[in-house]
Amino acid sequence: MEMFENDWGPEDPILNDALNASFDENVSLAWWMYFARTAADPGVFFDVGAYSGLYSLIIPKVRQDHRVVAMEPSSITYGRLVRNLQLNILDPAILAANIAAWNTDEQITFKHPFGIYTMCPGESALGFAKVDHTVSARAIPLDSLVSQRSDLKDYVDSASYDFMPARNVIAVKIDVEGVEPRVIEGAMTLIEQHRPFIICEALNEPAKQALRALLLPLRYSVIDVDNELNLIFIPTEKFEASRSGFANWCAAQPTPLVLTAQPEMCMRVDPLP
């Protein structure tokens, strides 16, 4: 992965945290890897709010037969996401889409707090108090990605990726800075049909309550990850087996993730041994 050091500091704070052993989603990332490694069959992972691609890059490194749809609506960040996929030669396994997930098909305006050449991990449709510029992006329901090929639009309709529409969705990661319930509302058919594992950011207690209200009636159980902002939603029928399996899997991994820093401020995600 690539990062530039500016006068005001590193411009990819997530990658910088990973390089400095201060990444704050270690447990969530371990669950994400566990879902990939232990899946019975090859499948598709949806990385909603992919940013520069850390979660997306992990999947084909853990297991080469999986595929990923990485959705990132910010145009400048999408460019870095694509660059990181190419650095790792993973573009055949990861479909990078410059679109957002939502509960309807529409254009959404994002308010960006910094200059047009800067990335921002907190960029959201809810906006900021300080705004430098706006960016519009296509937004689609995740349900459209598991329907018919004629329903696919913008990037995800690429004929180069024969795994779309997705036929076996294993897990979904949603990190969209406060509008996660909107994404869930647009994924109800996907959730009912595929029963994916879901890693979902919740910035505060009202957000947690809103997500629980949507997913618990769909027969999901939840793990509130200590010292992280994520909730792990697991289909209730898989909950006990997943929880014990994850504990055993973690205990058997001396180094679950190998992140190698390069002198030119790049990072490579190496496969597990």
Side-chain angles (χ1 to χ4, degrees):
M1 299 178 71
E2 188 173 69
M3 178 174 68
F4 297 97
E5 186 78 34
N6 296 299
D7 292 342
W8 44 265
E11 42 87 72
D12 185 339
I14 293 177
L15 177 53
N16 186 62
D17 286 347
L19 289 169
N20 290 286
S22 56
F23 181 65
D24 60 1
E25 295 186 12
N26 290 309
V27 174
S28 297
L29 191 61
W31 272 105
W32 186 245
M33 296 168 66
Y34 170 77
F35 297 148
R37 177 55 68 90
T38 60
D41 300 301
V44 180
F45 289 69
F46 289 165
D47 185 0
V48 181
Y51 195 60
S52 57
L54 179 59
Y55 273 81
S56 294
L57 291 167
I58 290 295
I59 295 301
K61 295 293 186 175
V62 170
R63 225 175 94 174
Q64 295 180 358
D65 55 352
H66 291 318
R67 296 294 180 261
V68 181
V69 177
M71 303 174 69
E72 176 49 56
S74 169
S75 55
I76 188 71
T77 308
Y78 174 74
R80 183 62 54 81
L81 168 65
V82 170
R83 170 67 172 161
N84 288 336
L85 303 187
Q86 293 173 329
L87 284 172
N88 286 272
I89 320 177
L90 289 176
D91 40 304
I94 302 175
L95 193 171
N98 186 206
I99 53 179
W102 204 243
N103 56 356
T104 57
D105 187 331
E106 61 179 289
Q107 287 288 120
I108 293 179
T109 298
F110 294 86
K111 297 178 180 179
H112 193 92
F114 309 121
I116 61 172
Y117 299 116
T118 59
M119 301 194 302
C120 176
E123 191 169 25
S124 168
L126 296 178
F128 293 87
K130 171 191 172 185
V131 177
D132 176 84
H133 66 280
T134 59
V135 178
S136 295
R138 175 75 175 271
I140 62 172
L142 290 181
D143 282 343
S144 67
L145 304 185
V146 297
S147 183
Q148 305 175 56
R149 185 153 190 89
S150 59
D151 292 333
L152 301 177
K153 302 170 185 176
D154 290 352
Y155 297 92
V156 292
D157 61 350
S158 172
S160 301
Y161 294 90
D162 60 3
F163 59 87
M164 295 299 292
R167 293 172 287 276
N168 178 31
V169 181
I170 295 173
V172 180
K173 185 222 83 179
I174 307 172
D175 183 349
V176 290
E177 303 303 324
V179 293
E180 288 78 10
R182 293 284 191 98
V183 177
I184 295 295
E185 290 168 357
M188 289 298 185
T189 299
L190 182 161
I191 290 168
E192 287 283 7
Q193 293 182 353
H194 293 258
R195 308 292 291 157
F197 302 100
I198 302 171
I199 299 176
C200 200
E201 184 180 60
L203 297 176
N204 49 45
E205 191 57 37
K208 292 180 180 180
Q209 293 175 3
L211 291 168
R212 289 190 179 103
L214 285 168
L215 288 167
L216 297 189
L218 299 179
R219 307 183 313 283
Y220 271 77
S221 299
V222 61
I223 296 173
D224 191 341
V225 182
D226 291 339
N227 301 314
E228 296 188 12
L229 294 176
N230 290 327
L231 300 176
I232 314 290
F233 288 96
I234 299 174
T236 299
E237 67 272 16
K238 301 177 182 178
F239 185 72
E240 291 302 332
S242 297
R243 191 164 60 171
S244 60
F246 177 69
N248 293 334
W249 181 80
C250 286
Q253 305 299 319
T255 53
L257 181 63
V258 180
L259 301 177
T260 306
Q262 304 299 312
E264 62 273 22
M265 293 301 292
C266 293
M267 186 175 76
R268 182 180 72 249
V269 180
D270 292 331
L272 290 171

